Amino acid sequence: LDTIMEMVRVAQQAPSRPLVVVTGCLVARYGAHVLQQELPEVDLVVDIAGQHQLPERILRHFGLQSAADGRVVSTPPSFAYLKVAEGCSNRCRFCTIPSIRGGLRSRPLEELVAEASACVAAGRRELVLVAQDLTAYGQDLGMRRGLAQLLDALARVPGLSWLRLMYLYPSGLTEELLAGMRDLGAPVLPYFDIPFQHVHPEILAAMGRPFRTQDPRAVVERVRRYFPQAALRTSLIVGYPGETDAHFAALESFVAEAELAHVGVFAFSPEEGTPAAALDQQVPARVRQSRRRRIMALQRRISRRYLARFRDQELEVLVDQPSAEWPGLFEGRAWFQAPEVDGVAYVSGPQVRPGAMVRARVDATHDYDLVTLAEDAGDEEGCDFRPMDADGL
């Protein structure tokens, strides 16, 4: 609500008053009619089911009749998100998504291929596949190899350099899927975003995680068996109701041993309407925050070591946008950095521009970011992902 009102203030001060449109989970939870009454400053309130009507409704607001043609991509010119499904059929006890967005609803494969092709034809070099549960794609459509079939089709889109997968449930990372991804090769990136949330079986059971019998260490080992060079990211929740010092110690040990490339840590938040909010043995807020700080400090050291291995190497950097630091400096990403959630690769050099794929030498590494110098701003089609050698390089 604070963000909405801030956007209203920005819109009211703009020379040409833009529309303020509210849509998403907030609308689904409280209802479009209620929010429109409570927020009269907002021009349009649209629920999730009506999002496909947004272009027509916006045009109608301005008294225009012609329909919008195709998707307008609002990300930087280097990449686009491709949402392959809506909703989630899992019932994790801390999560409101199923109650707000409903069960899994996969988009037809042909529709996704058409949208992906349009994004790449418009200059996007990377597609980032997203869903609440990406590995469940196609199950509701009767597709036995849903995600594998989708990857097979998208990998053939001409001009696509990188194909990145976000939010892969551990139980969905089967031997069959991993073998198929390995065999596909480029443009599929060896990047795996696996939301473990925790590792102790008692906490996973309390969370209602559908893969609570899956040992996260075994999942990490399985991925690395097929992709020795894989960059793994996860998200973790600390301070879940009933989490003891021993439970937390197991989580801390996992983070230290697994040495994942990226880790996001959240202190448990009792979301209204979730079973977890009503559980006994709530962990005090100060303990939750302390545990979060400990994991983040540990991961900062791991990230620093992970990035240090790339010093003086040449990497391909996909340039996203100019940096606010100084003129001539741009922000981009190497293959192991997802947009918006991981660190960035700062890059400068001749002909560097948003949307370009450039070969750059890593001059310096920090806790989460790289500093690189582009040697050539050519249009190579992507990286050659060779297995790591004995030194992990």
Side-chain angles (χ1 to χ4, degrees), residues 81-134:
Y81 291 109
L82 187 64
K83 191 167 193 177
V84 307
E86 182 63 89
C88 183
S89 295
N90 300 310
R91 291 295 180 268
C92 302
R93 297 193 179 105
F94 55 80
C95 183
T96 61
I97 287 175
S99 63
I100 291 173
R101 292 184 174 260
L104 174 70
R105 300 183 305 284
S106 301
R107 296 175 59 191
L109 189 147
E110 297 78 10
E111 179 182 303
L112 291 170
V113 172
E115 183 174 327
S117 300
C119 289
V120 175
R124 264 60 184 185
R125 304 294 294 268
E126 176 184 9
L127 292 178
V128 183
L129 304 190
V130 293
Q132 274 86 47
D133 178 359
L134 189 62

Side-chain angles (χ1 to χ4, degrees), residues 49-340:
Q51 285 180 342
H52 66 283
Q53 301 171 344
L54 264 174
E56 287 76 19
R57 292 191 61 178
I58 291 172
L59 288 167
R60 232 178 12 248
H61 186 93
F62 289 109
L64 303 174
Q65 299 301 318
S66 58
D69 182 22
R71 173 184 171 187
V72 176
V73 183
S74 58
T75 50
S78 50
F79 74 95
Y81 291 109
L82 187 64
K83 191 167 193 177
V84 307
E86 182 63 89
C88 183
S89 295
N90 300 310
R91 291 295 180 268
C92 302
R93 297 193 179 105
F94 55 80
C95 183
T96 61
I97 287 175
S99 63
I100 291 173
R101 292 184 174 260
L104 174 70
R105 300 183 305 284
S106 301
R107 296 175 59 191
L109 189 147
E110 297 78 10
E111 179 182 303
L112 291 170
V113 172
E115 183 174 327
S117 300
C119 289
V120 175
R124 264 60 184 185
R125 304 294 294 268
E126 176 184 9
L127 292 178
V128 183
L129 304 190
V130 293
Q132 274 86 47
D133 178 359
L134 189 62
T135 49
Y137 171 78
Q139 291 179 2
D140 56 319
L141 302 179
M143 301 169 66
R144 190 188 72 81
R145 298 176 56 253
L147 180 56
Q149 289 176 246
L150 178 61
L151 296 180
D152 289 344
L154 294 178
R156 292 194 293 269
V157 173
L160 178 60
S161 299
W162 289 354
L163 184 59
R164 190 182 304 275
L165 282 61
M166 304 296 290
Y167 219 82
L168 298 155
Y169 261 64
S171 56
L173 284 170
T174 63
E175 304 269 355
E176 181 183 15
L177 176 62
L178 290 168
M181 292 175 63
R182 179 196 58 194
D183 294 343
L184 271 177
V188 178
L189 295 175
Y191 179 99
F192 296 84
D193 172 37
I194 314 170
F196 289 121
Q197 308 300 9
H198 213 281
V199 299
H200 198 286
E202 292 176 359
I203 298 299
L204 290 174
M207 287 178 166
R209 298 292 276 170
F211 52 86
R212 54 187 176 274
T213 59
Q214 295 262 336
D215 181 0
R217 288 176 175 82
V219 176
V220 170
E221 180 183 339
R222 186 187 313 148
V223 171
R224 286 176 171 162
R225 189 164 67 249
Y226 285 91
F227 293 92
Q229 77 279 40
L232 282 80
R233 123 175 298 279
T234 195
S235 53
L236 304 171
I237 296 175
V238 295
Y240 190 82
E243 184 189 59
T244 64
D245 289 343
H247 293 145
F248 175 73
L251 182 63
E252 197 171 30
S253 295
F254 169 77
V255 173
E257 294 165 12
E259 293 206 327
L260 307 181
H262 311 284
V263 175
V265 187
F266 301 89
F268 170 75
S269 174
E271 294 295 320
E272 178 186 346
T274 62
L279 289 176
D280 296 330
Q281 297 180 293
Q282 295 284 332
V283 177
R286 60 177 179 79
V287 176
R288 299 199 302 263
Q289 294 299 333
S290 173
R291 290 175 178 175
R292 179 184 180 277
R293 288 193 295 270
R294 281 178 59 174
I295 297 290
M296 288 301 296
L298 171 59
Q299 180 57 31
R300 186 179 301 111
R301 296 192 294 272
I302 293 170
S303 175
R304 189 185 307 131
R305 289 198 301 270
Y306 177 81
L307 293 181
R309 72 182 67 177
F310 296 104
R311 283 181 196 149
D312 299 321
Q313 290 194 29
E314 284 190 357
L315 295 173
E316 302 232 341
V317 174
L318 181 57
V319 184
D320 289 330
Q321 59 197 5
S323 172
E325 296 293 326
W326 64 75
L329 183 67
F330 291 80
E331 292 179 8
R333 290 170 293 106
W335 65 267
F336 48 83
Q337 296 171 315
E340 300 188 300

